[in-house]
Amino acid sequence: MSDLSIRKVEMKADLKAFIRMTHDHYKADPNWVQPLTFLKLEDLNPKKNPFFDNAEVQLWLAEKEGKTVGRISAQIDKLAQEKWGPDLGYFGLFEADNERTAHALLKTAEDWLKERGMQTMQGPWSLSPKEECGMLVDGFDTPPCFLMPHGKPDYQEWVESYGLNKAHDLIAYELDLLKGFPEKMKRIVTAAKRNKRVILREMDMKNYDRDINHIIDIVSDAWANNWGFTPFTQAEGEHLATSLKLILKPHRTVICEYDGEPVAFMVTIPDLNDDIKDFGGSLFPFNVFKLLSRRILSKKEGRMRVPLMGVKQAFQRRPVGAAMAMWMIDYSTDQVMERGAYWGELGWILDENEGMRSILIDIGCEEYKTYGIFEKTIL
């Protein structure tokens, strides 16, 4: 391996190289969408991403003959350790040009975690389960939606040959909005509307902070027992509220109340990747005007994504819980279709969440992408 070197990311120029390495890495992949560099810089900035408040993170670059050929992160999330075990460490942001590079990067991350007493390496979490999750293992023939990872078909083989085993799958579903919903769903939605104990309302932007707190409260309850999930801290909640304010719209952010208590919600956002796919990761100096024209000024919606949805646990195994979920999907679909939407992604959904998966299948969704989380004992 004398021609391959692994070095830490230490300077801002290193961080930019870390982010930009995917630009050339995927240049032959027609489905790749280069993330906006300024957004990734914020994600990896300890002063701007509150994940760093409770985590230790290290990034590395793999280089060969002066060219960046891979990257990886290792991170220790103290909140995850409190909930899922004191010896748990993560890896993420993984990219490699071949198996040898992949193994060298994984070994580097493993050694770093071992030095800090970790006994399990798990990932890829990039950087946490609240951000981009998993390694694409099925669905390479379509582009990733906004804030979802992409990858190369060889990656699974490379991490498994290193000794990592699949822990769980995260599944994304697609929905052809133009097909309409089945009659069974329409009947359930009609019944939900007749239930005087349930109301569906749009997010109130005049009380934005209040409704964001309702959403975070529902997520923390609904996802509390989901494998890998850690509750939002106050700082993470405030960061989420600030990050989403420009993209959330009342007509696609809905809350269901039961006897006046917010118990379910659904957030739909435009797939911004469809708007920036020709930007090459750069917004300035001219792409910002393209984005304004395509997304903000036109107000037309095409490809959509549901990144957040939840129903409080007390309602998850009750017919009224499923009815609220279907009502929110039906309402949001009507709203975005009025504005030109034709396709949607719902996900990701944890493989063991049979209840939500059944609901999505019942309304006409189809599995179209699978992301794996892998782990290894590193005693």
Side-chain angles (χ1 to χ4, degrees):
M1 289 195 183
S2 59
D3 63 331
L4 178 68
S5 63
I6 310 292
R7 66 179 181 89
K8 291 181 179 179
V9 170
E10 297 180 318
M11 302 174 64
K12 189 172 183 178
D14 298 335
L15 185 57
K16 286 185 176 180
F18 186 92
I19 293 167
R20 295 289 299 173
M21 73 83 53
T22 52
H23 184 274
D24 290 335
H25 188 59
Y26 287 101
K27 63 183 178 182
D29 185 344
N31 292 306
W32 172 248
V33 180
Q34 179 70 17
L36 294 173
T37 300
F38 87 94
L39 289 179
K40 289 301 179 183
L41 283 171
E42 290 197 354
D43 289 344
L44 297 174
N45 187 339
K47 295 181 180 179
K48 295 188 176 181
N49 185 345
F51 171 75
F52 287 85
D53 295 345
N54 297 288
E56 184 179 0
V57 181
Q58 182 60 58
L59 311 177
W60 292 270
L61 288 167
E63 296 176 331
K64 188 187 305 178
E65 299 177 355
K67 180 181 178 182
T68 302
V69 294
R71 71 182 194 187
I72 201 167
S73 70
Q75 54 267 20
I76 298 171
D77 182 352
K78 296 175 184 176
L79 299 180
Q81 289 183 323
E82 289 174 5
K83 184 166 184 179
W84 300 105
D87 306 317
L88 174 64
Y90 291 159
F91 77 95
L93 297 165
F94 170 79
E95 304 283 356
D97 65 334
N98 59 38
E99 185 175 44
R100 187 183 71 157
T101 302
H103 286 191
L105 286 165
L106 291 165
K107 179 69 163 56
T108 300
E110 178 181 339
D111 288 346
W112 186 87
L113 292 171
K114 277 184 179 179
E115 289 170 3
R116 287 153 182 78
M118 301 302 102
Q119 297 183 19
T120 300
M121 180 168 75
Q122 185 185 93
W125 302 109
S126 303
L127 294 165
S128 80
K130 301 188 187 83
E131 300 176 69
E132 291 188 10
C133 304
M135 174 178 292
L136 186 65
V137 297
D138 185 57
F140 298 93
D141 57 343
T142 52
C145 278
F146 186 58
L147 302 179
M148 292 291 275
H150 195 52
K152 294 196 172 186
D154 293 327
Y155 283 0
Q156 180 175 3
E157 179 182 346
W158 295 349
V159 299
E160 289 179 338
S161 64
Y162 182 73
L164 287 147
N165 297 307
K166 181 82 72 70
H168 278 285
D169 280 328
L170 313 175
I171 302 167
Y173 290 80
E174 65 174 341
L175 179 63
D176 181 352
L177 303 183
L178 304 180
K179 287 174 59 177
F181 292 119
E183 287 300 320
K184 177 182 177 181
M185 175 180 172
K186 294 178 181 178
R187 290 194 298 270
I188 293 173
V189 170
T190 299
K193 292 177 179 179
R194 291 174 178 165
N195 188 336
K196 295 182 179 180
R197 304 182 73 176
V198 179
I199 66 166
L200 181 149
R201 66 173 177 86
E202 295 183 351
M203 184 175 193
D204 182 356
M205 299 303 287
K206 293 181 180 179
N207 290 285
Y208 180 80
D209 290 340
R210 180 203 66 187
D211 278 355
I212 282 289
N213 287 332
H214 286 326
I215 288 172
I216 292 172
D217 176 64
I218 296 168
V219 167
S220 297
D221 181 274
W223 296 5
N225 297 323
N226 282 8
W227 181 84
F229 177 72
T230 56
F232 283 87
T233 65
Q234 181 175 347
E236 287 176 326
E238 293 171 356
H239 179 70
L240 179 69
T242 301
S243 300
L244 291 178
K245 195 161 190 176
L246 288 177
I247 199 171
L248 290 188
K249 299 296 180 184
H251 69 271
R252 42 183 165 78
T253 308
V254 294
I255 295 171
C256 274
E257 297 180 356
Y258 188 86
D259 289 344
E261 176 193 356
V263 297
F265 80 98
M266 176 173 158
V267 172
T268 305
I269 63 173
D271 177 17
L272 292 183
N273 274 7
D274 198 41
D275 298 307
I276 66 169
K277 58 189 176 185
D278 58 338
F279 287 10
S282 176
L283 192 58
F284 303 102
F286 303 114
N287 287 334
V288 64
F289 299 109
K290 292 182 182 179
L291 184 60
L292 282 170
S293 174
R294 294 173 183 176
R295 174 53 50 198
I296 299 174
L297 298 180
S298 74
K299 297 183 180 180
K300 187 175 181 180
E301 298 178 342
R303 287 169 55 94
M304 309 300 294
R305 181 181 173 223
V306 178
L308 291 170
M309 183 177 182
V311 178
K312 281 194 172 183
Q313 290 185 53
F315 297 86
Q316 288 178 4
R317 301 185 185 280
R318 296 168 57 185
V320 68
M324 286 189 289
M326 291 187 182
W327 189 6
M328 291 188 296
I329 293 170
D330 181 70
Y331 181 89
S332 298
T333 297
D334 284 345
Q335 295 299 310
V336 297
M337 287 188 69
E338 285 180 7
R339 296 162 173 85
Y342 58 87
W343 180 92
E345 178 187 272
L346 296 91
W348 49 269
I349 311 296
L350 187 64
D351 54 5
E352 63 185 18
N353 188 349
E354 296 294 344
M356 182 54 69
R357 292 179 64 190
S358 295
I359 290 173
L360 296 183
I361 293 297
D362 285 346
I363 67 173
C365 295
E366 297 181 359
E367 296 182 15
Y368 91 115
K369 286 184 183 288
T370 303
Y371 304 85
I373 299 293
F374 299 81
E375 63 183 18
K376 176 188 177 187
T377 300
I378 56 172
L379 294 174

